[in-house]
Amino acid sequence: MAVSSEDQSLELEAVEVSQTPIERFEEYLLSRGLRKTEQRRFLVEQVFSRHQHFDADQLIDQLPRKGEDNYVSRPTVYRTLKEFVDAGLLRRFELNGRSVYEHDYGYPEHDHFYCVKCHELSEFQSEALSQLRDEIARQHRFRVRSHRLIIHGVCHACSSRKHQRKRQDLV
Amino acid sequence: MAVSSEDQSLELEAVEVSQTPIERFEEYLLSRGLRKTEQRRFLVEQVFSRHQHFDADQLIDQLPRKGEDNYVSRPTVYRTLKEFVDAGLLRRFELNGRSVYEHDYGYPEHDHFYCVKCHELSEFQSEALSQLRDEIARQHRFRVRSHRLIIHGVCHACSSRKHQRKRQDLV
DNA sequence: ATCGTTGCAAACGTTTTGCATAAGG
DNA sequence: CCTTATGCAAAACGTTTGCAACGAT
């Protein structure tokens, strides 16, 4: 099952960054002696053309098909996604047995609601949460690198919708 | 990669429950018109014989092999794990691309540290965290069903160990 | 006798790999 | 020219399914 593709970028403020994702990726390639290829160039561009959560299949669906210009094979997509994560451009997490990616570079720390009705992921930010996490970690002498919090439940849209249907069901 | 099998039960207080997991599972079977089979009986017993996180492979490894008494096939293990989740005995989450299970029934709500060095999962409880979660959800009019928080980083044991090695490396 | 359950084998969906060819530096 | 990157095909991985035989009620 795929996660929703709806754009999520409107709610959160961008973090200040000195480079574009493309520039940062080029620097990463340079620092590792890797090559600037047409496929990598095209994929950064595609991945950062809109801000949304996506999995490998959703990305591939939005790319040119075999035979068309700029075709990138499935293995190369997977290999490149891994590089994006290494380069700090993307962050990966797992949902319903598949890897989901989201923008990391230039994007603030945030967490997610996952609606079990419409399977929509939405984002929220909480400074209090980051502080609490750090405090808990300190108590346990755990050195935090990152965290992943997903709150499962029913989003507002779906709970409204459900109430309507319930009223109708009574007729 | 498998998650660690070290016992995690010592830190958290058990929640009061009126039935054993076995009783609760039998009730679940009855309520759905499902049957009490030898395989199911044996698997509840195995799964609740020690408190730890485990994945399907780790469970299967601790079970009798084909040809031995009480052998349970791999598909049946998977089917039964799903029933345990349905019955509220286990909770499932995903880590490094595989499903990990933990005791749910009679066990308090908690969250996890995941050490990226030793790949050990450890548990912690925070009432403040639950409250904050509920408050955030209320603000977003999101109806919480559950949540999953994993804090990634380096556990105390590993950061001590790492320092030692670093000192030696300087020699 | 009925109908849920099991084990087997095979399929599944996602991701990874080996390898020959292509192409960046 | 050297080495990394790519595409293809196939494998690998964890998990699920169809089905015939089995067994609980």
Side-chain angles (χ1 to χ4, degrees), chain A residues 35-36 56-57 74-75 78 82 98-99:
Chain A
R35 291 169 183 173
K36 286 165 63 176
D57 268 341
R74 183 169 282 272
Y78 277 100
K82 206 170 282 179
R98 62 205 301 152
S99 290

Side-chain angles (χ1 to χ4, degrees), chain A residues 95-114:
Chain A
L95 191 64
N96 302 320
R98 62 205 301 152
S99 290
V100 178
Y101 298 86
E102 63 177 0
H103 291 182
D104 188 9
Y105 183 67
Y107 204 71
E109 193 174 65
H110 60 275
D111 292 286
H112 299 272
F113 292 116
Y114 176 66

Side-chain angles (χ1 to χ4, degrees), chain B residues 3 5 20 22 39 41 45 53 55 73 80 94 105 123 141 170-171:
Chain B
V3 292
S5 297
T20 65
I22 288 132
Q39 289 89 335
R41 204 219 91 251
E45 183 189 304
H53 307 100
D55 58 34
S73 70
T80 308
E94 283 156 39
Y105 183 66
E123 301 176 349
R141 292 193 255 178
L170 293 175
V171 179

Side-chain angles (χ1 to χ4, degrees), chain B residues 11-27:
Chain B
E11 299 174 31
L12 307 187
E13 285 286 315
V15 160
E16 281 201 42
V17 286
S18 47
Q19 298 171 301
T20 65
I22 288 132
E23 289 165 346
R24 183 174 165 115
F25 188 52
E26 291 182 348
E27 193 174 278

Side-chain angles (χ1 to χ4, degrees), chain A residues 22-160:
Chain A
I22 288 134
E23 288 166 348
R24 184 173 165 115
F25 189 52
E26 290 182 350
E27 193 174 280
Y28 165 86
L29 293 175
L30 200 64
S31 75
R32 305 238 182 161
L34 304 177
R35 291 169 183 173
K36 286 165 63 176
T37 66
E38 192 47 43
Q39 290 88 335
R40 285 174 175 148
R41 205 220 90 250
F42 184 67
L43 287 176
V44 204
E45 182 190 304
Q46 288 298 305
V47 161
F48 285 89
S49 66
R50 18 181 185 144
H51 181 80
Q52 62 191 35
H53 308 100
F54 63 93
D55 58 33
D57 268 341
Q58 290 174 320
L59 175 56
I60 288 164
D61 281 353
Q62 99 180 39
L63 298 175
R65 317 260 164 250
K66 198 182 295 194
E68 298 176 12
D69 279 3
N70 284 318
Y71 168 70
V72 182
S73 71
R74 183 169 282 272
T76 295
V77 169
Y78 277 100
R79 289 186 276 235
T80 307
L81 285 173
K82 206 170 282 179
E83 292 164 349
F84 289 168
V85 172
D86 273 10
L89 295 183
L90 294 182
R91 241 160 89 73
R92 180 178 56 236
F93 58 104
E94 283 154 40
L95 191 64
N96 302 320
R98 62 205 301 152
S99 290
V100 178
Y101 298 86
E102 63 177 0
H103 291 182
D104 188 9
Y105 183 67
Y107 204 71
E109 193 174 65
H110 60 275
D111 292 286
H112 299 272
F113 292 116
Y114 176 66
C115 177
V116 299
K117 299 285 180 203
C118 65
H119 301 157
E120 190 84 32
L121 273 175
S122 57
E123 301 176 350
F124 68 88
Q125 267 182 113
S126 167
E127 182 52 35
L129 180 62
S130 306
Q131 284 175 12
L132 181 55
R133 174 200 71 179
D134 292 344
E135 188 188 313
I136 292 168
R138 205 179 315 115
Q139 283 165 12
H140 292 259
R141 292 192 256 177
F142 188 89
R143 198 178 301 166
V144 174
R145 182 166 297 184
S146 66
H147 77 270
R148 183 60 74 183
L149 168 64
I150 301 182
I151 301 180
H152 290 245
V154 182
C155 70
H156 184 237
C158 283
S159 34
S160 313

Side-chain angles (χ1 to χ4, degrees), chain B residues 35-36 56-57 74-75 78-79 82 97-99:
Chain B
R35 290 167 184 176
K36 285 165 63 176
D57 270 340
R74 183 169 282 272
Y78 277 100
R79 287 186 277 235
K82 206 169 283 183
R98 60 206 303 151
S99 289

